């Protein structure tokens, strides 16, 4: 390639104008553009029509200087915005975060990654500050990773320092689930794929999902005898739902991370 480049430069000194290329013509076109051509040398050492469009790499008819004149530029995006609040209060909803494009991809550069992410959520107070959200049936669950983002601020002022560390874990054996759970492949909903029939899962009950009076999480099945079929639903995809039976209540969850969830 270097030898070819030197030969073409020498040719240009002998016959000015014969080394026309993308740079001289000022052309760099996205996709396949039949009008994006000049008369000059191609990389296969043929003089004639050569192209300065993105598709010329595939068709092999690029001008000799395409790589230099039209370098690939990947998409560059900014940082994620903070998570929004829940779209609705006192019912399962979604939160959103977004990021913007700082540089569009050019000349075959890497495309832009997703610019928006959604995840399930549930707020326990109305805009007026009224507490709500503990009368839900079935049990609403999400990945235990969400607990790292959930703050005690959402719990309400009813929590005292005495009960602040209250919490417990429920173990269930899954009985059935819809096929929609296995279809989730987005980063923030992929956890649903690990819900499987016949597996034992752990669901942590912590504030603010825990009622400050009863110290219970809605749908925890604590009063069932172990033979009763209980219902659950994944936050973030209402079609991902199923049934399970209570195994036991323990102080701390000990299931593998992929089988650990939280009431929400």
């Amino acid at each position: 390639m270097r030898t070819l480049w030197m030969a073409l430069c020498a040719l240009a000194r002998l016959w000015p104008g014969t080394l026309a290329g993308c740079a001289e013509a000022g052309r760099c076109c996205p996709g396949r553009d039949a009008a994006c051509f000049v008369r000059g040398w191609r990389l296969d050492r043929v003089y004639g029509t050569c192209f300065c469009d993105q598709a010329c790499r595939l068709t092999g008819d690029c001008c000799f200087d395409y790589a230099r004149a039209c370098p690939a530029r990947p998409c560059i995006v900014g940082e994620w915005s903070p998570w929004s609040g829940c779209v609705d209060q006192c019912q399962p909803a979604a939160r959103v975060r977004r990021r913007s494009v700082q540089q569009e991809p050019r000349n075959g550069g890497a495309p832009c990654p997703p610019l928006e992410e959604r995840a399930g959520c549930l707020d326990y107070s109305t805009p007026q500050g009224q507490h709500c959200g503990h009368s839900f049936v079935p049990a609403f669950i999400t990945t235990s990773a969400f607990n790292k983002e959930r703050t005690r601020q959402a719990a309400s002022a009813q929590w005292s320092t005495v009960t602040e560390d209250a919490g417990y874990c429920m173990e269930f054996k899954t009985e059935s689930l819809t096929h929609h759970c296995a279809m989730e492949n987005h980063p923030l909903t992929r956890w649903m794929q690990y819900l499987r029939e016949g597996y034992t899962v752990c669901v942590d009950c912590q504030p603010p999902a825990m009622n400050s009076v009863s110290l219970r999480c809605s749908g925890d099945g604590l009063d069932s005898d172990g033979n009763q079929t209980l219902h659950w639903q994944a936050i973030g995809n209402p079609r991902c739902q199923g049934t399970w039976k209570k195994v036991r209540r323990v102080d701390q969850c000990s299931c593998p991370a992929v089988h650990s969830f939280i009431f929400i």
Side-chain angles (χ1 to χ4, degrees):
M1 183 64 69
R2 179 177 175 81
T3 302
L4 174 61
W5 179 262
M6 294 175 64
L8 291 175
C9 289
L11 183 64
R13 288 193 295 269
L14 294 174
W15 292 282
T18 62
L19 198 58
C22 301
E24 183 175 323
R27 312 207 71 178
C28 288
C29 308
R32 182 57 172 168
D33 187 345
C36 191
F37 69 90
V38 297
R39 295 286 296 178
W41 288 95
R42 298 192 330 211
L43 289 176
D44 57 6
R45 303 182 185 183
V46 174
Y47 185 84
T49 300
C50 62
F51 287 84
C52 303
D53 61 353
Q54 180 181 333
C56 73
R57 291 180 180 271
L58 299 176
T59 54
D61 53 8
C62 295
C63 294
F64 72 95
D65 66 341
Y66 176 79
R68 294 170 182 261
C70 308
R73 299 185 183 277
C75 176
I76 298 177
V77 297
E79 297 294 326
W80 286 111
S81 68
W83 283 106
S84 70
C86 285
V87 177
D88 298 304
Q89 286 75 40
C90 301
Q91 61 180 328
R95 56 197 175 112
V96 183
R97 66 176 181 175
R98 298 182 175 90
R99 55 186 173 183
S100 59
V101 175
Q102 297 181 339
Q103 174 181 284
E104 295 284 353
R106 297 180 60 186
N107 307 324
C112 295
L115 302 178
E116 179 179 290
E117 286 187 337
R118 291 178 174 268
C121 63
L122 196 157
D123 274 348
Y124 290 91
S125 60
T126 66
Q128 294 74 32
Q130 296 176 329
H131 200 56
C132 62
H134 291 289
S135 59
F136 297 117
V137 174
F140 290 103
I141 62 170
T142 190
T143 172
S144 59
F146 179 58
N147 211 31
K148 299 176 182 178
E149 301 178 26
R150 184 166 62 177
T151 64
R152 301 296 177 123
Q153 182 180 357
S156 85
Q158 300 177 35
W159 285 99
S160 66
T161 56
V162 176
T163 59
E164 187 174 2
D165 294 326
Y168 58 95
C169 178
M170 295 298 301
E171 292 183 1
F172 299 96
K173 184 175 181 180
T174 53
E175 297 287 319
S176 66
L177 69 160
T178 61
H179 71 280
H180 300 286
C181 303
M183 298 172 62
E184 286 292 342
N185 197 35
H186 297 290
L188 296 174
T189 55
R190 194 173 294 141
W191 61 270
M192 299 179 195
Q193 294 183 357
Y194 298 101
L195 289 160
R196 295 284 190 273
E197 293 181 4
Y199 277 62
T200 296
V201 299
C202 294
V203 188
D204 204 11
C205 177
Q206 296 287 343
M210 178 187 290
N211 186 284
S212 59
V213 177
S214 66
L215 302 184
R216 295 270 303 274
C217 284
S218 179
D220 63 6
L222 193 59
D223 299 326
S224 69
D225 59 8
N227 293 317
Q228 181 180 356
T229 298
L230 308 170
H231 294 266
W232 56 267
Q233 178 180 312
I235 290 291
N237 181 0
R239 294 186 297 178
C240 176
Q241 54 185 276
T243 61
W244 55 25
K245 291 183 179 181
K246 183 188 77 173
V247 176
R248 60 175 180 166
R249 167 180 169 160
V250 293
D251 292 334
Q252 299 290 334
C253 289
S254 59
C255 295
V258 294
H259 295 149
S260 296
F261 309 100
I262 60 172
F263 291 105
I264 189 170

